[in-house]
Every structure is written in structure tokens, then in C-alpha cells.
């Protein structure tokens, strides 16, 4: 029987996941379907009863990544660690939650850096994506969290310290980031996309002593931050590889088998072209 997958969220119209998975299923010669489904917050419980019958698995995006947890039958260790779910596998009617964002972020980073050389990180943002970044990097790097809301930055820093005792985490306001030597700067805010396309999250002066700038925004593929970073000699990376790797990891979970590196590269190439074509 044809397997049907989905991404659920609200809004969902602009999700790139249907395109990514249709390219991937095509490249793998799989007769699977992947559809976007708008699910409002109050509809979640009822919708999940239907998905339990109809879907082999699905991705979860804003605003359901946390609110879905009570409805699931089990969580794997990644979902437990992040307190958020982006992938659900239907195991014979049992819904199991996973989180593939961390692996997506790290696989993207490994394209440009040896993780053991990342010792000092400036993380901009303290929301869901920033939490993933902080928890993944804490075993490797000291982390300075710069966020608009200092309270949120502080809450994230405390969580990191609890999960990684001995890690070095500090917080600063967005306007108070000092020009220091960083191995890595990560933008985990939406600044640089949509209406904030022409903005940068922190002063460009801080880029002078930075080795790698990783912007989790993937549309546009070169944000203003990345353009400025390139112009002063930083290595740069956008959020596209994270998006693709987390999506392909979801497929590996659903289908129970790995996708080869060569295939991942082919999918990545086609997705990049597609995104460039449609902006
Ligand atoms: P979120 O939980 O809503 O967090 C948003 C973060 O951005 C918060 O730290 C927020 O600061 C900050 N922020 C938002 N607007 C701001 C502004 N105008 N000025 C300063 N700070 C602002 O969202 P999220 O899930 O973490 O996602 C953040 C971004 O990461 C997304 O927009 C997306 O581009 C990117 N992302 C990419 C991938 C990928 O696969 N490439 C995956 C996930 C996310 P406050 O705490 O002060 O509100």
C-alpha cells in the first residue's frame, strides 16, 4: 500500500518540506506521498486520531512541536532532551515522537568544520532552534547566548547547565555582544528573512574575529549577515543543509533504513536548485 506522510502545523502553506520529500522519494524510487496539513491548535487531538489511522509518519512544525507531546504514546531520547517533537512515526497505531533538528544542525556544521575545533560559540536567539543548537554544541564549546529577551536566554542557559554540568554558558543582551574571537556564530532568529530580510541580528563589527557564521535561515540562501560575514573572510553556511538533513533523518526513522551519503548529496543539489528557482 502507498505510504502517506505529512507535515502538520499552522501556518503550513510556505513549508518547504513537501518539496524536499517529494524530491527525495523520487530519487529513492519510492512510491510515497507527502502532504502539508494545516492543523489549528484546538484541532490537534482530533486530528491525531485520524493520523493514527491514515499516516505512516509525519513532521511537526510551529505551533505543535511541544503541545503534541501529551498526545503521543512514546518519545525517543532526542525528543525528551529537547522537550519538542518534529517527527512522529506511526508504529502500528502507536505514535512515537522524535526530534531530528539536532542531527540536522550538526550534520550541516560538519560540512564546514571539524567539531573539535569549535571551542567558542556566539549563539544569537534563545527560542526552539537556539535550544537545539545550544544542547548540541555544549559538549564541544563554550556558548554565549545573545537574545532580545534576557529572561529567555537565561532559562536556556540554565537548561544547558543542568544537562551538561561543567559547561560554560553565559548570556548577554543583543545590543551588548562584545567583539571577541569566536570559532562559530549561529543566527537562530528569523532576522534576515521575510520582512526582516535587510536586517542583521548583531553589529557587523563582531564578525571581524569570527571563523564560521552559520545562519539557520535558508530563504534567502545568502542573508545579509552571511554576505557581510563572507566579505570579511568568514566561512559561511546557511540553514538549507540543516533543513535537508533533519528531513532526511525523519525519512530514515519512518522507513527504518539509512540514506546513503551519495544520495543525500544528489537530493541536496536538486533541492538547492529548486529553492533558487522559486526563491
Ligand atoms: P522561536 O522559538 O519563535 O524563537 C525565535 C527567536 O528569535 C527568539 O530568540 C526571539 O527572541 C528571536 N527573535 C524573533 N524576532 C526577533 C527580532 N525582531 N529581533 C530580535 N530577536 C528576534 O523560533 P525558532 O523555532 O527558534 O526559529 C528561529 C529561526 O530559526 C526561524 O525563523 C528559522 O529561520 C530558523 N530555523 C531554521 C531551521 C532549519 O532547518 N534551517 C530549523 C528551525 C528554525 P525573543 O526570545 O526575544 O522573542
Amino acid at each position: 500500500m502507498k505510504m502517506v506522510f505529512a507535515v502538520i502545523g499552522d501556518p503550513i502553506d510556505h513549508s518547504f518540506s513537501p518539496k524536499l520529500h517529494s524530491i527525495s522519494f523520487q530519487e529513492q524510487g519510492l512510491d510515497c506521498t507527502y502532504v502539508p496539513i494545516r492543523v489549528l491548535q484546538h484541532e490537534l487531538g482530533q486530528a491525531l486520531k485520524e493520523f493514527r489511522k491514515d499516516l505512516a509518519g509525519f513532521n511537526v512544525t510551529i505551533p505543535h512541536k511541544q503541545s503534541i507531546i501529551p498526545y503521543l504514546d512514546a518519545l525517543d531520547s532526542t525528543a525528551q532532551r529537547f522537550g519538542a517533537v518534529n517527527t512522529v512515526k506511526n508504529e502500528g497505531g502507536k505514535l512515537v515522537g522524535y526530534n531530528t533538528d539536532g542531527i540536522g544542525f550538526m550534520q550541516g556544521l560538519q560540512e564546514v568544520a571539524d567539531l573539535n575545533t569549535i571551542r567558542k560559540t556566539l549563539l544569537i536567539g534563545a527560542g526552539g532552534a537556539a535550544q537545539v543548537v545550544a544542547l548540541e554544541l555544549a559538549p564541544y564549546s563554550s556558548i554565549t547566548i545573545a537574545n532580545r529577551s534576557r529572561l529567555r536566554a537565561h532559562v536556556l542557559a540554565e537548561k544547558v547547565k543542568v544537562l551538561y554540568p561543567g559547561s560554560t554558558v553565559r548570556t548577554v543582551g543583543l545590543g551588548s555582544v562584545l567583539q571577541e574571537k569566536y570559532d562559530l556564530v549561529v543566527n537562530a532568529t528569523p532576522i534576515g528573512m521575510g520582512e526582516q530580510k535587510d536586517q542583521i541580528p548583531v553589529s557587523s563589527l563582531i564578525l571581524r574575529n569570527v571563523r564560521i557564521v552559520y545562519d539557520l535561515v535558508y530563504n534567502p540562501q545568502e542573508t545579509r549577515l552571511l554576505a557581510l560575514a563572507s566579505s570579511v573572510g568568514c566561512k559561511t553556511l546557511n540553514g538549507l543543509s540543516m533543513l535537508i538533513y533533519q528531513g532526511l533523518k525523519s525519512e530514515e526513522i519512518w522507513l527504518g533504513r539509512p540514506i546513503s551519503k551519495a544520495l543525500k548529496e544528489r537530493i541536496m543539489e536538486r533541492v538547492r536548485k529548486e529553492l533558487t528557482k522559486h526563491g
Side-chain angles (χ1 to χ4, degrees):
M1 203 171 74
K2 187 170 184 147
M3 283 198 281
V4 182
F5 300 96
V7 54
I8 68 163
D10 177 34
I12 205 66
D13 287 353
H14 296 296
S15 171
F16 196 67
S17 295
K19 186 51 95 188
L20 162 65
H21 291 285
S22 73
I23 288 173
S24 172
F25 291 148
Q26 220 179 61
E27 286 290 336
Q28 295 177 74
L30 294 171
D31 185 20
C32 298
T33 304
Y34 188 103
V35 290
I37 305 177
R38 183 172 179 227
V39 176
L40 305 183
Q41 191 70 270
H42 71 274
E43 297 172 335
L44 186 60
Q46 184 56 36
L48 284 169
K49 284 187 189 154
E50 290 166 28
F51 299 159
R52 212 180 266 277
K53 287 184 275 152
D54 303 334
L55 297 176
F58 54 95
N59 288 123
V60 183
T61 187
I62 290 168
H64 306 308
K65 282 184 165 189
Q66 287 158 343
S67 52
I68 196 170
I69 289 176
Y71 297 101
L72 300 177
D73 301 304
L75 294 182
D76 94 320
S77 59
T78 53
Q80 282 173 26
R81 195 157 69 103
F82 297 130
V85 165
N86 79 335
T87 302
V88 175
K89 181 176 184 177
N90 189 343
E91 296 180 358
K94 187 177 158 202
L95 297 181
V96 183
Y98 298 80
N99 194 310
T100 65
D101 282 334
I103 205 161
F105 170 77
M106 290 304 256
Q107 287 184 346
L109 181 57
Q110 279 167 296
E111 280 186 355
V112 297
D114 172 353
L115 295 179
N116 293 311
T117 66
I118 308 292
R119 311 308 282 258
K120 192 168 169 176
T121 297
L122 171 66
L123 171 59
I124 308 162
Q131 181 189 243
V132 166
V133 173
L135 295 181
E136 288 293 335
L137 288 178
Y140 299 92
S141 175
S142 74
I143 302 172
T144 301
I145 303 171
N147 195 49
R148 182 175 60 181
S149 151
R150 284 294 292 274
L151 175 63
R152 211 171 174 194
H154 191 69
V155 170
L156 176 54
E158 286 310 305
K159 180 164 183 179
V160 176
K161 285 183 206 161
V162 168
L163 287 176
Y164 293 97
S167 56
T168 308
V169 191
R170 58 185 177 139
T171 65
V172 291
L174 258 192
S176 320
V177 180
L178 296 177
Q179 192 181 333
E180 288 177 48
K181 210 168 167 190
Y182 289 106
D183 295 306
L184 176 67
V185 170
V186 180
N187 175 36
T189 77
I191 299 172
M193 61 185 273
E195 285 174 2
Q196 302 178 86
K197 178 164 75 54
D198 298 322
Q199 295 174 28
I200 52 171
V202 285
S203 160
S204 60
L205 293 176
I206 67 115
L207 298 174
R208 291 206 181 136
N209 273 319
V210 173
R211 199 153 59 85
I212 303 165
V213 178
Y214 189 171
D215 197 331
L216 302 194
V217 170
Y218 59 87
N219 192 9
Q221 290 185 55
E222 186 177 63
T223 57
R224 178 128 191 268
L225 176 70
L226 290 188
L228 287 165
S230 293
S231 73
V232 293
C234 309
K235 228 181 223 186
T236 60
L237 180 67
N238 66 30
L240 192 57
S241 51
M242 173 176 176
L243 180 79
I244 295 172
Y245 285 130
Q246 61 80 24
L248 296 184
K249 182 65 193 175
S250 298
E251 284 185 20
E252 290 180 334
I253 290 168
W254 293 329
L255 300 166
R257 59 168 207 217
I259 299 172
S260 72
K261 193 162 179 278
L263 194 53
K264 280 183 184 164
E265 278 166 12
R266 268 212 315 276
I267 295 166
M268 182 91 67
E269 197 44 46
R270 274 191 61 189
V271 170
R272 237 178 226 130
K273 278 195 190 133
E274 195 67 33
L275 201 65
T276 308
K277 209 162 58 187
H278 297 291

